[in-house]
Amino acid sequence: MRIGKDLVAAAATPVVLGILADGESYGYAILQRITALSGGELEWSDGMLYPLLHRLERQGHVHSEWRQADSGRPRKHYRLSEQGAAVLADQRRQWSVVGDVLSKVWPDDGGPRLRLAFGEA
């Protein structure tokens, strides 16, 4: 299944902030975590993640620090800031409202309109 570009973009900030709420991480690990959490349905590229991380850092939502990986290569680690935690809490509330609305218009049994939309009427 292909997840629409607009939906992926809308969820990008809360997904990354949510991952960093579990603890600091670095780019490649964040990409791997997104793929694992989505069961492989979301596969972000470096070109999507790093501009987002840079924007979140400029906005003060995350802090970063360069460290040396076990391989000896420098690796930039990101962690959630206090401000980022507040933004994440606000975004969780907003997504909860959206989820509640969707659960009402998309009932578990599919409902007649949803079955019609999937050609099951």
Side-chain angles (χ1 to χ4, degrees), residues 10 12 20-21 32 37 47 52 58 63 66 68 72 76 78 87 89-90 106 110 112 118-119:
L20 293 176
Q32 294 297 307
L37 289 170
L52 174 60
R58 277 194 316 273
H63 298 298
W66 284 100
Q68 191 169 7
K76 197 170 189 179
Y78 297 89
V87 168
D90 184 54
W106 298 339
F118 286 105

Side-chain angles (χ1 to χ4, degrees), residues 14-31:
V15 166
V16 169
L17 293 179
I19 288 171
L20 293 176
D22 286 342
E24 69 175 47
S25 191
Y26 53 92
Y28 180 75
I30 294 170
L31 291 172

Side-chain angles (χ1 to χ4, degrees), residues 97-115 117-118:
V97 171
V98 171
D100 287 347
V101 170
L102 290 175
S103 71
K104 291 173 184 165
V105 297
W106 298 339
D108 288 340
D109 69 352
R113 286 182 295 175
L114 194 56
R115 283 193 296 273
F118 286 105

Side-chain angles (χ1 to χ4, degrees), residues 32-58:
Q32 294 297 307
R33 183 88 191 278
I34 291 167
T35 300
L37 289 170
S38 69
E41 296 287 343
L42 293 174
E43 292 185 27
W44 288 13
S45 66
D46 294 355
M48 180 177 180
L49 178 63
Y50 288 104
L52 174 60
L53 286 168
H54 295 157
R55 180 172 52 83
L56 293 172
E57 189 171 16
R58 277 194 316 273

Side-chain angles (χ1 to χ4, degrees), residues 64-83:
S64 69
E65 179 181 359
W66 284 100
R67 295 192 195 148
Q68 191 169 7
D70 292 340
S71 65
R73 295 179 54 193
R75 179 179 284 162
K76 197 170 189 179
H77 287 251
Y78 297 89
R79 62 182 161 74
L80 193 64
S81 70
E82 198 171 301
Q83 178 184 329

Side-chain angles (χ1 to χ4, degrees), residues 85-97:
V87 168
L88 176 60
D90 184 54
Q91 293 219 351
R92 283 186 66 162
R93 286 188 292 274
Q94 292 179 40
W95 278 97
S96 177
V97 171

